[in-house]
Amino acid sequence: VTVEVLDRLELLALVDFRDAEGVERLRRAVRFAERLREVNTEGVEPMASVLEDRCLYLREDDVTEGNCTKELLRNAREKVEEYFVAPPGNIPLPTLEERDTVLKGA
């Protein structure tokens, strides 16, 4: 796994791979995913969801308690309008150099 791929995986998965434990977790995940190549998918159409053949009904989104938006947003390190911003900002990720060092040592 290159440092660039690791950088992208961290951003997508929000997982920190900068220590040996994180790198081992990534290795286990890759080994697990490799097993999927053994599955014969010939003639199987790609799906957007396993539920795409079902009609899903949306429930009414009625607020029954709370009304504490301002109080909750005080916990946000960064916000835009009435929304939390995450990541980047809430989860510090290592630099490319730090990740390269971990990969070489693992």
Side-chain angles (χ1 to χ4, degrees):
V1 177
T2 66
V3 174
E4 290 76 20
V5 169
L6 186 64
D7 184 45
R8 186 73 177 144
L9 287 173
E10 281 186 327
L11 291 173
L12 291 172
L14 302 179
V15 175
D16 182 0
F17 297 120
R18 85 178 92 187
D19 60 14
E21 181 183 339
V23 172
E24 181 55 32
R25 185 178 324 130
L26 176 61
R27 284 191 175 125
R28 285 193 313 265
V30 169
R31 281 194 301 267
F32 176 78
E34 285 292 325
R35 293 174 44 202
L36 296 176
R37 292 181 187 221
E38 299 171 12
V39 177
N40 181 3
T41 58
E42 190 172 324
V44 177
E45 291 294 319
M47 298 174 68
S49 167
V50 296
L51 301 174
E52 68 184 13
D53 63 337
R54 297 185 183 149
C55 183
L56 302 177
Y57 300 97
L58 298 177
R59 65 173 172 80
E60 291 295 322
D61 193 14
D62 296 325
V63 177
T64 58
E65 60 181 63
N67 196 19
C68 53
T69 304
K70 288 181 183 177
E71 183 180 341
L72 290 174
L73 285 173
R74 277 189 243 137
N75 295 314
R77 180 179 296 172
E78 190 175 341
K79 61 187 170 204
V80 173
E81 296 177 3
E82 292 185 354
Y83 298 95
F84 282 82
V85 175
N90 290 349
I91 300 172
L93 294 173
T95 64
L96 284 174
E97 293 79 24
E98 290 172 328
R99 282 174 272 197
D100 193 33
T101 303
V102 170
L103 284 176
K104 288 178 182 173

